[in-house]
Amino acid sequence: VGAYARGRLEALQDKHLCIGDVRGSGLVFGAEMVLDRDTKAPASAFTDQVINALRHRGIILSKLGRHKNTLKIRPPLPFSTEHVDLLIETLDEVLSSTPLQS
């Protein structure tokens, strides 16, 4: 399930330029939100907006990192590929509808 989730998140990275990096291991992974992929300028305020929009849709995530611009995804143990699909589809909707700002 972890490999499936990472693959889905990496595919989302190809679609959304605000995802600067995807990293993690197993079911603990994250997506770094950036203003610009080349400079890796952190998108801290944007990350807050994404987290709040996800929360309003029933998905609880937090953030981590020096600039608090990385979505921390650490799901509960009974997490299936169906849950991954729900997470990624909802994240895709949020990223598509939230304007990127610093």
Side-chain angles (χ1 to χ4, degrees), residues 15 23 30-31 37 46 53 70:
K15 181 177 179 182
R23 52 187 175 265
R37 274 201 193 158
F46 176 74
T70 301

mmCIF file of all heavy atoms in Angstrom, residues 15 23 30-31 37 46 53 70:
data_model
loop_
_atom_site.group_PDB
_atom_site.id
_atom_site.type_symbol
_atom_site.label_atom_id
_atom_site.label_comp_id
_atom_site.label_asym_id
_atom_site.label_seq_id
_atom_site.Cartn_x
_atom_site.Cartn_y
_atom_site.Cartn_z
ATOM 1 N N LYS A 15 1.539 16.472 -12.207
ATOM 2 C CA LYS A 15 0.413 17.328 -12.589
ATOM 3 C C LYS A 15 0.465 18.708 -11.938
ATOM 4 O O LYS A 15 0.045 19.690 -12.539
ATOM 5 C CB LYS A 15 -0.894 16.625 -12.218
ATOM 6 C CG LYS A 15 -2.137 17.387 -12.576
ATOM 7 C CD LYS A 15 -3.390 16.602 -12.242
ATOM 8 C CE LYS A 15 -4.638 17.414 -12.585
ATOM 9 N NZ LYS A 15 -5.857 16.685 -12.211
ATOM 10 N N ARG A 23 8.718 12.306 -0.701
ATOM 11 C CA ARG A 23 9.682 11.435 -0.031
ATOM 12 C C ARG A 23 8.999 10.680 1.100
ATOM 13 O O ARG A 23 7.919 11.031 1.529
ATOM 14 C CB ARG A 23 10.879 12.226 0.470
ATOM 15 C CG ARG A 23 10.547 13.425 1.310
ATOM 16 C CD ARG A 23 11.810 14.226 1.617
ATOM 17 N NE ARG A 23 11.487 15.430 2.327
ATOM 18 C CZ ARG A 23 11.298 16.608 1.771
ATOM 19 N NH1 ARG A 23 11.413 16.749 0.479
ATOM 20 N NH2 ARG A 23 10.991 17.651 2.493
ATOM 21 N N GLY A 30 5.629 12.187 2.583
ATOM 22 C CA GLY A 30 5.270 13.590 2.560
ATOM 23 C C GLY A 30 5.418 14.185 1.180
ATOM 24 O O GLY A 30 6.075 13.625 0.306
ATOM 25 N N ALA A 31 4.791 15.344 1.022
ATOM 26 C CA ALA A 31 4.860 16.097 -0.229
ATOM 27 C C ALA A 31 5.263 17.520 0.121
ATOM 28 O O ALA A 31 4.553 18.209 0.857
ATOM 29 C CB ALA A 31 3.518 16.079 -0.942
ATOM 30 N N ARG A 37 9.577 25.165 -8.440
ATOM 31 C CA ARG A 37 10.344 23.916 -8.368
ATOM 32 C C ARG A 37 11.842 24.123 -8.537
ATOM 33 O O ARG A 37 12.636 23.376 -7.983
ATOM 34 C CB ARG A 37 9.869 22.931 -9.427
ATOM 35 C CG ARG A 37 8.712 22.121 -8.973
ATOM 36 C CD ARG A 37 8.597 20.864 -9.788
ATOM 37 N NE ARG A 37 7.306 20.265 -9.527
ATOM 38 C CZ ARG A 37 6.715 19.433 -10.329
ATOM 39 N NH1 ARG A 37 7.270 19.091 -11.461
ATOM 40 N NH2 ARG A 37 5.561 18.918 -10.016
ATOM 41 N N PHE A 46 0.590 28.521 1.571
ATOM 42 C CA PHE A 46 -0.177 27.653 0.686
ATOM 43 C C PHE A 46 -0.414 26.296 1.360
ATOM 44 O O PHE A 46 -1.515 25.742 1.290
ATOM 45 C CB PHE A 46 0.575 27.471 -0.637
ATOM 46 C CG PHE A 46 -0.070 26.523 -1.595
ATOM 47 C CD1 PHE A 46 -1.214 26.875 -2.291
ATOM 48 C CD2 PHE A 46 0.475 25.265 -1.823
ATOM 49 C CE1 PHE A 46 -1.815 25.996 -3.192
ATOM 50 C CE2 PHE A 46 -0.105 24.386 -2.717
ATOM 51 C CZ PHE A 46 -1.259 24.753 -3.402
ATOM 52 N N ALA A 53 -8.217 23.075 3.670
ATOM 53 C CA ALA A 53 -9.177 22.620 2.661
ATOM 54 C C ALA A 53 -9.385 21.110 2.752
ATOM 55 O O ALA A 53 -10.515 20.622 2.617
ATOM 56 C CB ALA A 53 -8.700 23.020 1.264
ATOM 57 N N THR A 70 5.771 20.981 4.224
ATOM 58 C CA THR A 70 5.676 19.603 3.766
ATOM 59 C C THR A 70 4.454 18.940 4.394
ATOM 60 O O THR A 70 4.302 18.942 5.623
ATOM 61 C CB THR A 70 6.945 18.804 4.113
ATOM 62 O OG1 THR A 70 8.065 19.432 3.499
ATOM 63 C CG2 THR A 70 6.844 17.367 3.653
#
